[in-house]
Amino acid sequence: MFVSGLTGNPCCQRIPLHGPRTPSRRDSAFLNAEKRIDNVKLLGPKRSYLAGSVQRCNVKETCLVKCAMDASYGGDMTNDRSVVFPRIHVRDPYKRLGISREASEDEIQAARKFLINQYGGHKPSVDAIESAHDKIIMQKFYDRKNPKIDFKKKAREMKQSRFMQFFISRFQTPSTNVIIKSAIAFLVLGALTFLFPTEEGPTLQVAISLIATVYFLHDRLKSKLWAFLYGVGSFIFAWLLGTFLMVSVIPPLPLVKGPRSFEVITSLITYVLLWVSSTYLK
């Protein structure tokens, strides 16, 4: 005989009054269902914890991927239109745009367009790029309107010309004894001309300088004809050049006084040119 519990409680079961008996199949199924319900209740927090861990891992992985993409593209991927121009405070406009001073106008415009596309979302960066561009354009316009003379380039071109190559080839460096001997001779002539000026001018000293030039040229060239031709040509060229310099270039010198000061200074210039010709001409 059995006693049943309240009908509204599904968890209650029939209890035998007379001793234990073997549980029926229905009772075993009922007990197994209760165990499964308890296991589900115990596994619930574990599943929730695992789901939260997986979600946090996914968020962390997403952040790592985003940071890698930001580093690859050189800025913040979420706000790449407001990236600050790194050379915004560079004073040199050429360095600010990243071009050389010999860059053409097409290269300047291309650099400006590229930088505007990269940093167009940041107004101070755009202003810095436009300011550097305007300065370079204005400088190019000024240089075109007022061209500068490149003396180094002109000298290099003149040195590479055929006439200058031929002119340089006519000179050579002699021995030290020849240089010292000719220098002493012309220094003595210069001192006599400067210290003892005459009313007739330094006619005698100039004549001696011509003879000394022919002598030194003959001593090196071993040819009377070439020594005479070189000596006379050098004397005429030196006297004409000295006269031109005194008239057009060199102002009157207070150190040289007297009515013949013009001839004295012209003679000194002529002595220098004759010394060069008689010593280095070949």
Side-chain angles (χ1 to χ4, degrees):
M1 181 176 181
F2 294 90
V3 178
S4 62
L6 297 176
T7 58
N9 189 358
C11 296
C12 296
Q13 61 180 348
R14 296 177 180 180
I15 301 173
L17 295 178
H18 301 284
R21 70 179 181 85
T22 304
S24 64
R25 184 177 299 177
R26 183 178 179 181
D27 294 336
S28 300
F30 186 75
L31 292 174
N32 291 333
E34 285 186 344
K35 290 180 180 181
R36 283 196 295 271
I37 291 173
D38 293 338
N39 291 334
V40 168
K41 290 181 179 180
L42 292 174
L43 291 176
K46 293 184 179 180
R47 289 180 179 177
S48 300
Y49 175 76
L50 291 175
S53 300
V54 172
Q55 185 177 4
R56 286 193 297 271
C57 291
N58 291 334
V59 172
K60 191 173 183 179
E61 184 178 359
T62 304
C63 293
L64 291 176
V65 172
K66 177 181 176 298
C67 293
M69 293 177 68
D70 291 346
S72 301
Y73 288 96
D76 188 0
M77 295 294 292
T78 61
N79 194 17
D80 60 349
R81 297 300 297 171
S82 60
V83 179
V84 180
F85 183 39
R87 298 188 298 272
I88 189 173
H89 298 297
V90 176
R91 293 186 177 182
D92 190 347
Y94 291 93
K95 292 182 179 179
R96 190 185 300 174
L97 294 187
I99 58 177
S100 64
R101 295 186 178 274
E102 292 77 19
S104 62
E105 293 187 2
D106 294 337
E107 292 174 344
I108 297 171
Q109 297 296 338
R112 170 188 170 275
K113 184 177 180 181
F114 174 78
L115 294 176
I116 290 294
N117 292 334
Q118 290 291 111
Y119 307 99
H122 189 251
K123 189 177 184 304
S125 299
V126 175
D127 294 340
I129 296 169
E130 293 289 357
S131 176
H133 171 264
D134 294 342
K135 288 181 181 179
I136 294 174
I137 293 299
M138 292 300 296
Q139 185 66 36
K140 292 285 185 182
F141 177 76
Y142 179 81
D143 293 341
R144 192 183 302 112
K145 189 175 180 180
N146 303 289
K148 296 180 181 179
I149 300 176
D150 191 352
F151 292 100
K152 293 183 179 180
K153 184 178 180 180
K154 293 292 183 182
R156 185 167 56 253
E157 292 176 355
M158 185 179 297
K159 187 176 180 180
Q160 294 176 355
S161 62
R162 292 184 178 180
F163 173 77
M164 188 58 63
Q165 291 292 332
F166 173 78
F167 182 77
I168 294 174
S169 64
R170 304 308 303 168
F171 290 87
Q172 66 178 1
T173 303
S175 62
T176 306
N177 293 331
V178 174
I179 295 174
I180 295 175
K181 184 168 61 174
S182 60
I184 291 174
F186 284 100
L187 283 174
V188 171
L189 289 175
L192 293 175
T193 302
F194 181 77
L195 296 176
F196 304 102
T198 60
E199 295 182 358
E200 295 80 10
T203 307
L204 178 61
Q205 292 89 332
V206 171
I208 294 174
S209 67
L210 175 59
I211 295 173
T213 301
V214 175
Y215 169 78
F216 289 122
L217 285 172
H218 178 266
D219 186 45
R220 291 192 304 106
L221 301 179
K222 306 300 181 182
S223 174
K224 295 181 180 180
L225 178 62
W226 287 111
F228 177 77
L229 293 177
Y230 280 161
V232 174
S234 300
F235 177 79
I236 295 173
F237 173 78
W239 188 263
L240 292 177
L241 182 59
T243 304
F244 170 76
L245 293 176
M246 283 300 302
V247 172
S248 304
V249 179
I250 301 176
L253 300 178
L255 296 176
V256 181
K257 299 180 180 179
R260 297 294 181 179
S261 60
F262 180 85
E263 288 82 358
V264 170
I265 299 177
T266 304
S267 300
L268 295 177
I269 297 174
T270 303
Y271 296 158
V272 174
L273 296 176
L274 288 177
W275 171 73
V276 173
S277 301
S278 61
T279 306
Y280 295 94
L281 194 64
K282 68 176 182 179

